[in-house]
Short mmCIF file of all heavy atoms in Angstrom, two decimals:
data_model
loop_
_atom_site.label_atom_id
_atom_site.label_comp_id
_atom_site.label_asym_id
_atom_site.label_seq_id
_atom_site.Cartn_x
_atom_site.Cartn_y
_atom_site.Cartn_z
N MET A 1 -23.15 3.03 -5.06
CA MET A 1 -21.91 2.50 -5.32
C MET A 1 -21.97 0.99 -5.24
O MET A 1 -22.60 0.34 -4.41
CB MET A 1 -20.92 2.88 -4.01
CG MET A 1 -19.58 2.53 -4.18
SD MET A 1 -18.44 3.09 -3.03
CE MET A 1 -18.23 4.81 -3.42
N THR A 2 -21.32 0.32 -6.31
CA THR A 2 -21.26 -1.15 -6.41
C THR A 2 -20.38 -1.70 -5.42
O THR A 2 -19.45 -0.89 -4.94
CB THR A 2 -20.87 -1.55 -7.87
OG1 THR A 2 -19.59 -1.19 -8.02
CG2 THR A 2 -21.80 -1.01 -8.92
N PRO A 3 -20.49 -2.97 -5.15
CA PRO A 3 -19.50 -3.65 -4.13
C PRO A 3 -17.95 -3.48 -4.61
O PRO A 3 -17.26 -3.17 -3.93
CB PRO A 3 -19.93 -4.96 -4.12
CG PRO A 3 -21.48 -4.99 -4.45
CD PRO A 3 -21.60 -3.78 -5.38
N ALA A 4 -17.83 -3.60 -5.86
CA ALA A 4 -16.56 -3.50 -6.54
C ALA A 4 -15.99 -2.11 -6.35
O ALA A 4 -14.80 -1.80 -6.01
CB ALA A 4 -16.52 -3.88 -8.02
N GLN A 5 -16.75 -1.14 -6.61
CA GLN A 5 -16.32 0.32 -6.46
C GLN A 5 -16.03 0.57 -4.90
O GLN A 5 -15.15 1.33 -4.66
CB GLN A 5 -17.49 1.26 -6.81
CG GLN A 5 -17.66 1.36 -8.43
CD GLN A 5 -18.84 2.15 -8.74
OE1 GLN A 5 -19.93 2.14 -8.11
NE2 GLN A 5 -18.85 2.75 -9.93
N ASP A 6 -16.89 -0.07 -4.04
CA ASP A 6 -16.59 0.18 -2.67
C ASP A 6 -15.28 -0.45 -2.27
O ASP A 6 -14.43 0.04 -1.49
CB ASP A 6 -17.79 -0.41 -1.74
CG ASP A 6 -17.51 -0.15 -0.32
OD1 ASP A 6 -17.18 0.97 -0.01
OD2 ASP A 6 -17.78 -1.16 0.45
N THR A 7 -15.07 -1.66 -2.75
CA THR A 7 -13.77 -2.35 -2.50
C THR A 7 -12.70 -1.57 -3.04
O THR A 7 -11.60 -1.34 -2.34
CB THR A 7 -13.81 -3.83 -3.17
OG1 THR A 7 -14.91 -4.46 -2.54
CG2 THR A 7 -12.46 -4.47 -2.85
N LEU A 8 -12.67 -1.06 -4.34
CA LEU A 8 -11.63 -0.27 -4.81
C LEU A 8 -11.36 0.98 -3.99
O LEU A 8 -10.21 1.44 -3.77
CB LEU A 8 -12.03 0.21 -6.23
CG LEU A 8 -11.90 -0.86 -7.32
CD1 LEU A 8 -12.54 -0.52 -8.60
CD2 LEU A 8 -10.52 -1.36 -7.60
N SER A 9 -12.40 1.60 -3.54
CA SER A 9 -12.32 2.93 -2.63
C SER A 9 -11.53 2.54 -1.48
O SER A 9 -10.62 3.20 -1.01
CB SER A 9 -13.68 3.52 -2.40
OG SER A 9 -13.59 4.47 -1.46
N ARG A 10 -11.92 1.38 -0.79
CA ARG A 10 -11.20 1.01 0.41
C ARG A 10 -9.70 0.70 0.13
O ARG A 10 -8.76 1.07 0.94
CB ARG A 10 -11.87 -0.12 1.04
CG ARG A 10 -13.17 0.21 1.63
CD ARG A 10 -13.94 -0.92 2.16
NE ARG A 10 -15.43 -0.68 2.38
CZ ARG A 10 -15.80 -0.53 3.58
NH1 ARG A 10 -14.98 -0.73 4.67
NH2 ARG A 10 -17.08 -0.19 3.91
N ILE A 11 -9.46 0.00 -1.04
CA ILE A 11 -8.06 -0.36 -1.35
C ILE A 11 -7.29 0.94 -1.66
O ILE A 11 -6.09 1.09 -1.19
CB ILE A 11 -7.99 -1.31 -2.52
CG1 ILE A 11 -8.60 -2.73 -2.05
CG2 ILE A 11 -6.57 -1.50 -3.01
CD1 ILE A 11 -8.77 -3.65 -3.19
N ASP A 12 -7.96 1.85 -2.34
CA ASP A 12 -7.28 3.16 -2.69
C ASP A 12 -6.92 3.90 -1.41
O ASP A 12 -5.77 4.42 -1.18
CB ASP A 12 -8.08 4.12 -3.50
CG ASP A 12 -8.22 3.58 -4.90
OD1 ASP A 12 -7.45 2.69 -5.41
OD2 ASP A 12 -9.19 3.90 -5.59
N LYS A 13 -7.67 3.82 -0.43
CA LYS A 13 -7.48 4.48 0.95
C LYS A 13 -6.32 3.83 1.66
O LYS A 13 -5.37 4.42 2.14
CB LYS A 13 -8.68 4.55 1.81
CG LYS A 13 -9.73 5.46 1.42
CD LYS A 13 -11.01 5.39 2.19
CE LYS A 13 -12.09 6.38 1.72
NZ LYS A 13 -13.39 6.13 2.42
N ALA A 14 -6.45 2.46 1.62
CA ALA A 14 -5.19 1.73 2.21
C ALA A 14 -3.88 2.06 1.52
O ALA A 14 -2.85 2.22 2.20
CB ALA A 14 -5.47 0.22 2.13
N ILE A 15 -3.88 2.13 0.27
CA ILE A 15 -2.68 2.42 -0.52
C ILE A 15 -2.25 3.86 -0.25
O ILE A 15 -0.93 4.01 0.05
CB ILE A 15 -2.83 2.28 -2.11
CG1 ILE A 15 -3.01 0.81 -2.46
CG2 ILE A 15 -1.70 2.91 -2.90
CD1 ILE A 15 -3.53 0.62 -3.87
N ALA A 16 -3.12 4.83 -0.12
CA ALA A 16 -2.74 6.14 0.26
C ALA A 16 -2.01 6.14 1.67
O ALA A 16 -1.16 6.85 1.96
CB ALA A 16 -3.88 6.97 0.23
N ARG A 17 -2.59 5.37 2.62
CA ARG A 17 -2.11 5.26 3.92
C ARG A 17 -0.74 4.67 3.92
O ARG A 17 0.18 5.06 4.80
CB ARG A 17 -3.04 4.62 4.87
CG ARG A 17 -4.30 5.35 5.11
CD ARG A 17 -5.22 4.73 6.07
NE ARG A 17 -6.43 5.54 6.21
CZ ARG A 17 -7.69 5.17 6.47
NH1 ARG A 17 -7.92 3.86 6.40
NH2 ARG A 17 -8.64 6.05 6.58
N PHE A 18 -0.49 3.67 3.14
CA PHE A 18 0.78 3.01 3.08
C PHE A 18 1.78 4.02 2.42
O PHE A 18 2.94 4.12 2.99
CB PHE A 18 0.85 1.73 2.22
CG PHE A 18 0.48 0.60 3.15
CD1 PHE A 18 -0.86 0.11 3.34
CD2 PHE A 18 1.48 -0.09 3.71
CE1 PHE A 18 -1.07 -1.00 3.99
CE2 PHE A 18 1.25 -1.25 4.60
CZ PHE A 18 -0.03 -1.58 4.69
N ASP A 19 1.43 4.81 1.59
CA ASP A 19 2.30 5.84 0.98
C ASP A 19 2.66 6.76 2.02
O ASP A 19 3.80 7.24 2.14
CB ASP A 19 1.62 6.46 -0.22
CG ASP A 19 1.56 5.57 -1.48
OD1 ASP A 19 2.19 4.55 -1.53
OD2 ASP A 19 0.72 6.00 -2.35
N GLN A 20 1.69 7.17 2.82
CA GLN A 20 2.02 8.18 3.97
C GLN A 20 3.06 7.64 4.86
O GLN A 20 3.90 8.12 5.51
CB GLN A 20 0.70 8.53 4.53
CG GLN A 20 -0.11 9.55 3.80
CD GLN A 20 -1.55 9.75 4.47
OE1 GLN A 20 -2.03 9.05 5.32
NE2 GLN A 20 -2.24 10.84 3.94
N ALA A 21 2.69 6.26 5.29
CA ALA A 21 3.57 5.70 6.21
C ALA A 21 5.09 5.52 5.67
O ALA A 21 6.01 5.87 6.43
CB ALA A 21 3.06 4.33 6.52
N LEU A 22 5.21 5.25 4.46
CA LEU A 22 6.53 5.24 3.80
C LEU A 22 7.16 6.47 3.82
O LEU A 22 8.36 6.49 4.13
CB LEU A 22 6.38 4.61 2.38
CG LEU A 22 6.22 3.13 2.09
CD1 LEU A 22 5.91 2.76 0.88
CD2 LEU A 22 7.64 2.57 2.59
N GLU A 23 6.39 7.58 3.51
CA GLU A 23 6.95 8.80 3.43
C GLU A 23 7.46 9.20 4.86
O GLU A 23 8.56 9.84 5.03
CB GLU A 23 5.95 9.92 2.85
CG GLU A 23 6.51 11.33 2.84
CD GLU A 23 7.75 11.43 1.97
OE1 GLU A 23 7.78 10.66 0.88
OE2 GLU A 23 8.56 12.19 2.18
N ALA A 24 6.71 9.03 5.87
CA ALA A 24 7.07 9.33 7.31
C ALA A 24 8.27 8.40 7.68
O ALA A 24 9.20 8.97 8.23
CB ALA A 24 5.82 8.97 8.18
N LEU A 25 8.30 7.11 7.24
CA LEU A 25 9.38 6.36 7.61
C LEU A 25 10.69 6.80 6.94
O LEU A 25 11.78 6.77 7.59
CB LEU A 25 9.01 4.86 7.16
CG LEU A 25 10.00 3.72 7.59
CD1 LEU A 25 10.01 3.68 9.00
CD2 LEU A 25 9.67 2.49 6.95
N ARG A 26 10.60 7.36 5.77
CA ARG A 26 11.81 7.83 5.03
C ARG A 26 12.33 9.08 5.72
O ARG A 26 13.47 9.50 5.41
CB ARG A 26 11.52 8.04 3.52
CG ARG A 26 11.27 6.74 2.87
CD ARG A 26 10.83 6.91 1.43
NE ARG A 26 10.69 5.58 0.90
CZ ARG A 26 9.77 5.26 -0.02
NH1 ARG A 26 8.82 6.12 -0.40
NH2 ARG A 26 9.74 4.01 -0.62
N GLN A 27 11.63 9.68 6.63
CA GLN A 27 12.17 10.91 7.25
C GLN A 27 13.08 10.62 8.49
O GLN A 27 13.59 11.45 8.99
CB GLN A 27 10.98 11.74 7.67
CG GLN A 27 9.97 12.21 6.54
CD GLN A 27 10.67 12.97 5.53
OE1 GLN A 27 11.59 13.89 5.83
NE2 GLN A 27 10.55 12.55 4.27
N ILE A 28 12.89 9.20 8.83
CA ILE A 28 13.67 8.91 10.01
C ILE A 28 15.15 8.68 9.61
O ILE A 28 15.39 7.99 8.56
CB ILE A 28 13.19 7.56 10.62
CG1 ILE A 28 11.69 7.71 11.02
CG2 ILE A 28 13.96 6.97 11.71
CD1 ILE A 28 11.00 6.29 11.46
N PRO A 29 16.02 9.33 10.38
CA PRO A 29 17.39 9.16 10.07
C PRO A 29 17.90 7.69 10.15
O PRO A 29 17.47 7.06 11.07
CB PRO A 29 18.22 9.99 11.09
CG PRO A 29 17.14 10.86 11.72
CD PRO A 29 15.85 10.22 11.49
N LYS A 30 18.64 7.22 9.16
CA LYS A 30 19.02 5.85 9.05
C LYS A 30 20.52 5.67 9.49
O LYS A 30 21.37 5.87 8.77
CB LYS A 30 18.86 5.26 7.85
CG LYS A 30 17.31 5.27 7.37
CD LYS A 30 17.23 4.77 5.99
CE LYS A 30 15.72 4.96 5.48
NZ LYS A 30 15.48 4.58 4.15
N GLN A 31 20.72 5.49 10.86
CA GLN A 31 22.08 5.33 11.43
C GLN A 31 22.19 4.02 12.13
O GLN A 31 21.21 3.56 12.86
CB GLN A 31 22.33 6.47 12.35
CG GLN A 31 22.29 7.79 11.64
CD GLN A 31 22.33 9.02 12.56
OE1 GLN A 31 22.16 8.78 13.80
NE2 GLN A 31 22.59 10.22 12.05
N GLY A 32 23.23 3.36 12.02
CA GLY A 32 23.57 2.17 12.67
C GLY A 32 22.51 0.98 12.70
O GLY A 32 21.96 0.82 11.73
N GLU A 33 22.23 0.46 13.77
CA GLU A 33 21.26 -0.68 13.88
C GLU A 33 19.90 -0.26 13.69
O GLU A 33 19.19 -0.78 13.00
CB GLU A 33 21.35 -1.39 15.30
CG GLU A 33 20.69 -2.71 15.33
CD GLU A 33 20.95 -3.41 16.63
OE1 GLU A 33 22.01 -3.43 17.17
OE2 GLU A 33 19.96 -3.83 17.21
N ASP A 34 19.50 1.00 14.01
CA ASP A 34 18.18 1.55 13.86
C ASP A 34 18.05 1.68 12.24
O ASP A 34 16.90 1.38 11.77
CB ASP A 34 18.00 2.87 14.51
CG ASP A 34 17.81 2.80 15.99
OD1 ASP A 34 17.53 1.64 16.46
OD2 ASP A 34 18.18 3.71 16.66
N GLY A 35 19.09 1.97 11.52
CA GLY A 35 18.95 2.09 10.02
C GLY A 35 18.53 0.77 9.44
O GLY A 35 17.74 0.66 8.52
N VAL A 36 19.03 -0.29 10.00
CA VAL A 36 18.73 -1.61 9.45
C VAL A 36 17.31 -1.89 9.77
O VAL A 36 16.57 -2.41 8.88
CB VAL A 36 19.66 -2.68 10.04
CG1 VAL A 36 19.24 -4.00 9.72
CG2 VAL A 36 21.04 -2.52 9.71
N LYS A 37 16.84 -1.58 10.84
CA LYS A 37 15.43 -1.79 11.22
C LYS A 37 14.50 -0.98 10.48
O LYS A 37 13.46 -1.53 9.88
CB LYS A 37 15.15 -1.43 12.74
CG LYS A 37 15.78 -2.38 13.66
CD LYS A 37 15.59 -1.97 15.11
CE LYS A 37 16.41 -2.83 16.04
NZ LYS A 37 16.23 -2.34 17.45
N VAL A 38 14.87 0.26 10.22
CA VAL A 38 14.03 1.17 9.24
C VAL A 38 13.96 0.65 7.87
O VAL A 38 12.89 0.55 7.30
CB VAL A 38 14.57 2.61 9.36
CG1 VAL A 38 13.84 3.51 8.26
CG2 VAL A 38 14.32 3.22 10.73
N ASN A 39 15.18 0.19 7.37
CA ASN A 39 15.18 -0.27 6.05
C ASN A 39 14.42 -1.52 5.88
O ASN A 39 13.68 -1.83 4.94
CB ASN A 39 16.63 -0.64 5.63
CG ASN A 39 17.38 0.65 5.24
OD1 ASN A 39 16.88 1.58 4.95
ND2 ASN A 39 18.78 0.52 5.38
N GLY A 40 14.42 -2.48 6.88
CA GLY A 40 13.60 -3.60 6.95
C GLY A 40 12.05 -3.37 6.97
O GLY A 40 11.34 -4.06 6.22
N ILE A 41 11.66 -2.29 7.68
CA ILE A 41 10.23 -2.03 7.76
C ILE A 41 9.79 -1.33 6.45
O ILE A 41 8.70 -1.58 5.86
CB ILE A 41 9.97 -0.94 8.90
CG1 ILE A 41 10.20 -1.74 10.23
CG2 ILE A 41 8.62 -0.45 8.90
CD1 ILE A 41 10.17 -0.72 11.53
N GLU A 42 10.74 -0.44 5.79
CA GLU A 42 10.44 0.20 4.57
C GLU A 42 10.25 -0.86 3.49
O GLU A 42 9.34 -0.90 2.66
CB GLU A 42 11.57 1.09 4.14
CG GLU A 42 11.33 1.83 2.88
CD GLU A 42 12.40 2.77 2.54
OE1 GLU A 42 13.15 3.14 3.40
OE2 GLU A 42 12.42 3.29 1.40
N HIS A 43 11.11 -2.00 3.48
CA HIS A 43 11.03 -3.10 2.54
C HIS A 43 9.68 -3.85 2.61
O HIS A 43 9.03 -4.07 1.81
CB HIS A 43 12.15 -3.98 2.85
CG HIS A 43 12.10 -5.15 1.90
ND1 HIS A 43 12.40 -5.29 0.62
CD2 HIS A 43 11.78 -6.48 2.20
CE1 HIS A 43 12.26 -6.47 0.07
NE2 HIS A 43 11.88 -7.30 1.05
N GLU A 44 9.24 -4.06 3.96
CA GLU A 44 7.99 -4.83 4.22
C GLU A 44 6.77 -3.84 3.69
O GLU A 44 5.91 -4.41 3.12
CB GLU A 44 7.90 -5.12 5.70
CG GLU A 44 8.85 -6.22 6.14
CD GLU A 44 8.76 -6.43 7.58
OE1 GLU A 44 7.71 -6.35 8.25
OE2 GLU A 44 9.75 -6.78 8.16
N LEU A 45 6.84 -2.62 4.01
CA LEU A 45 5.71 -1.68 3.66
C LEU A 45 5.64 -1.62 2.01
O LEU A 45 4.56 -1.61 1.52
CB LEU A 45 5.96 -0.42 4.17
CG LEU A 45 5.46 -0.23 5.75
CD1 LEU A 45 5.90 1.14 6.19
CD2 LEU A 45 4.16 -0.58 6.07
N THR A 46 6.85 -1.57 1.47
CA THR A 46 6.85 -1.49 -0.04
C THR A 46 6.18 -2.82 -0.54
O THR A 46 5.43 -2.62 -1.52
CB THR A 46 8.22 -1.35 -0.55
OG1 THR A 46 8.81 -0.05 0.06
CG2 THR A 46 8.21 -1.22 -2.05
N ALA A 47 6.58 -3.83 -0.05
CA ALA A 47 5.94 -5.23 -0.53
C ALA A 47 4.51 -5.15 -0.34
O ALA A 47 3.71 -5.70 -1.18
CB ALA A 47 6.67 -6.38 0.11
N ILE A 48 3.98 -4.74 0.98
CA ILE A 48 2.51 -4.73 1.03
C ILE A 48 1.83 -3.84 0.17
O ILE A 48 0.75 -4.09 -0.45
CB ILE A 48 2.22 -4.32 2.60
CG1 ILE A 48 2.77 -5.57 3.45
CG2 ILE A 48 0.74 -4.27 2.89
CD1 ILE A 48 2.88 -5.20 4.98
N GLY A 49 2.45 -2.65 -0.12
CA GLY A 49 1.90 -1.63 -1.04
C GLY A 49 1.73 -2.22 -2.36
O GLY A 49 0.75 -2.09 -3.05
N LYS A 50 2.76 -3.03 -2.83
CA LYS A 50 2.67 -3.64 -4.21
C LYS A 50 1.47 -4.77 -4.19
O LYS A 50 1.00 -4.80 -5.26
CB LYS A 50 4.13 -4.26 -4.45
CG LYS A 50 5.10 -3.18 -4.88
CD LYS A 50 6.38 -3.82 -5.12
CE LYS A 50 7.40 -2.85 -5.44
NZ LYS A 50 8.91 -3.49 -5.57
N ARG A 51 1.44 -5.48 -3.15
CA ARG A 51 0.35 -6.35 -2.99
C ARG A 51 -0.99 -5.79 -3.07
O ARG A 51 -1.88 -6.30 -3.71
CB ARG A 51 0.55 -7.34 -1.75
CG ARG A 51 1.81 -8.22 -1.73
CD ARG A 51 1.91 -9.01 -0.59
NE ARG A 51 0.84 -10.06 -0.54
CZ ARG A 51 0.53 -10.74 0.54
NH1 ARG A 51 1.34 -10.54 1.55
NH2 ARG A 51 -0.47 -11.53 0.48
N LEU A 52 -1.18 -4.77 -2.43
CA LEU A 52 -2.45 -3.97 -2.41
C LEU A 52 -2.72 -3.42 -3.80
O LEU A 52 -3.95 -3.44 -4.30
CB LEU A 52 -2.34 -2.67 -1.43
CG LEU A 52 -2.65 -3.15 0.03
CD1 LEU A 52 -2.35 -1.80 0.82
CD2 LEU A 52 -4.09 -3.43 0.20
N GLN A 53 -1.79 -2.92 -4.39
CA GLN A 53 -1.86 -2.43 -5.89
C GLN A 53 -2.29 -3.56 -6.76
O GLN A 53 -3.12 -3.42 -7.65
CB GLN A 53 -0.55 -1.77 -6.42
CG GLN A 53 -0.81 -1.10 -7.72
CD GLN A 53 -1.82 0.04 -7.81
OE1 GLN A 53 -1.82 0.84 -6.84
NE2 GLN A 53 -2.78 -0.08 -8.79
N SER A 54 -1.68 -4.64 -6.56
CA SER A 54 -1.96 -5.93 -7.37
C SER A 54 -3.51 -6.32 -7.19
O SER A 54 -4.26 -6.69 -8.09
CB SER A 54 -1.17 -7.14 -7.06
OG SER A 54 -1.43 -8.25 -7.79
N LEU A 55 -3.92 -6.34 -5.88
CA LEU A 55 -5.23 -6.58 -5.54
C LEU A 55 -6.15 -5.55 -6.18
O LEU A 55 -7.24 -6.04 -6.79
CB LEU A 55 -5.41 -6.58 -4.12
CG LEU A 55 -6.88 -6.78 -3.54
CD1 LEU A 55 -7.47 -8.16 -3.91
CD2 LEU A 55 -6.91 -6.61 -1.96
N ARG A 56 -5.87 -4.38 -6.15
CA ARG A 56 -6.69 -3.33 -6.75
C ARG A 56 -6.82 -3.59 -8.27
O ARG A 56 -7.87 -3.54 -8.81
CB ARG A 56 -6.08 -2.00 -6.52
CG ARG A 56 -7.01 -0.86 -6.88
CD ARG A 56 -6.35 0.44 -7.37
NE ARG A 56 -7.27 1.50 -7.53
CZ ARG A 56 -8.15 1.68 -8.60
NH1 ARG A 56 -8.07 0.76 -9.48
NH2 ARG A 56 -8.96 2.61 -8.65
N ASP A 57 -5.73 -3.86 -8.92
CA ASP A 57 -5.80 -4.14 -10.41
C ASP A 57 -6.60 -5.28 -10.63
O ASP A 57 -7.52 -5.33 -11.53
CB ASP A 57 -4.45 -4.43 -10.87
CG ASP A 57 -3.47 -3.19 -10.78
OD1 ASP A 57 -4.01 -2.12 -10.67
OD2 ASP A 57 -2.26 -3.45 -10.95
N GLU A 58 -6.59 -6.32 -9.83
CA GLU A 58 -7.48 -7.51 -9.92
C GLU A 58 -8.88 -7.21 -9.75
O GLU A 58 -9.77 -7.72 -10.55
CB GLU A 58 -7.11 -8.70 -8.87
CG GLU A 58 -7.73 -9.92 -9.12
CD GLU A 58 -7.22 -11.01 -8.03
OE1 GLU A 58 -6.00 -11.10 -7.82
OE2 GLU A 58 -8.11 -11.73 -7.43
N VAL A 59 -9.27 -6.39 -8.68
CA VAL A 59 -10.59 -6.01 -8.42
C VAL A 59 -11.12 -5.21 -9.46
O VAL A 59 -12.33 -5.27 -10.05
CB VAL A 59 -10.79 -5.41 -7.05
CG1 VAL A 59 -12.15 -4.79 -6.90
CG2 VAL A 59 -10.44 -6.36 -5.89
N ALA A 60 -10.32 -4.20 -10.08
CA ALA A 60 -10.77 -3.32 -11.16
C ALA A 60 -11.03 -4.08 -12.37
O ALA A 60 -11.99 -3.82 -13.08
CB ALA A 60 -9.66 -2.28 -11.44
N GLY A 61 -10.25 -5.11 -12.65
CA GLY A 61 -10.44 -5.97 -13.88
C GLY A 61 -11.62 -6.76 -13.72
O GLY A 61 -12.38 -6.90 -14.73
N GLU A 62 -11.99 -7.41 -12.57
CA GLU A 62 -13.33 -7.98 -12.34
C GLU A 62 -14.41 -7.12 -12.52
O GLU A 62 -15.42 -7.41 -13.09
CB GLU A 62 -13.33 -8.64 -11.03
CG GLU A 62 -12.28 -9.82 -10.77
CD GLU A 62 -12.33 -10.41 -9.45
OE1 GLU A 62 -13.27 -10.09 -8.69
OE2 GLU A 62 -11.48 -11.33 -9.23
N GLY A 63 -14.41 -5.84 -12.02
CA GLY A 63 -15.39 -4.96 -12.22
C GLY A 63 -15.67 -4.48 -13.61
O GLY A 63 -16.77 -4.45 -14.17
N ASP A 64 -14.68 -4.42 -14.38
CA ASP A 64 -14.70 -4.15 -15.81
C ASP A 64 -15.42 -5.24 -16.52
O ASP A 64 -16.26 -5.10 -17.42
CB ASP A 64 -13.36 -3.91 -16.52
CG ASP A 64 -12.75 -2.64 -16.00
OD1 ASP A 64 -13.44 -1.75 -15.44
OD2 ASP A 64 -11.54 -2.44 -16.26
N ARG A 65 -15.20 -6.45 -16.19
CA ARG A 65 -15.80 -7.60 -16.81
C ARG A 65 -17.20 -7.79 -16.48
O ARG A 65 -18.07 -8.24 -17.20
CB ARG A 65 -14.93 -8.97 -16.56
CG ARG A 65 -13.75 -9.06 -17.24
CD ARG A 65 -13.14 -10.48 -17.08
NE ARG A 65 -12.95 -10.86 -15.73
CZ ARG A 65 -11.77 -10.63 -15.21
NH1 ARG A 65 -10.78 -10.16 -15.89
NH2 ARG A 65 -11.61 -10.99 -13.89
N GLY A 66 -17.62 -7.40 -15.35
CA GLY A 66 -19.00 -7.55 -14.73
C GLY A 66 -19.87 -6.47 -15.31
O GLY A 66 -21.12 -6.71 -15.15
N GLU A 67 -19.45 -5.39 -15.83
CA GLU A 67 -20.32 -4.41 -16.20
C GLU A 67 -20.84 -4.53 -17.64
O GLU A 67 -20.16 -5.02 -18.53
CB GLU A 67 -19.58 -3.01 -16.02
CG GLU A 67 -19.48 -2.73 -14.56
CD GLU A 67 -18.76 -1.44 -14.25
OE1 GLU A 67 -18.27 -0.82 -15.25
OE2 GLU A 67 -18.77 -1.01 -13.11
#
């Protein structure tokens, strides 16, 4: 496994874990002040997930150029 493939594998695992966390978070009833907190956490996790996907795309592009 090349370093780029190893990095992609690790990023893929992180993305999958964020997806699982988001799914679990979405199961929490959103009522009152707790709903605001849950929505804020969901927003932050979504943003981090997008950043991870962007990083993955960047790493994948570098791997394509290097081969």
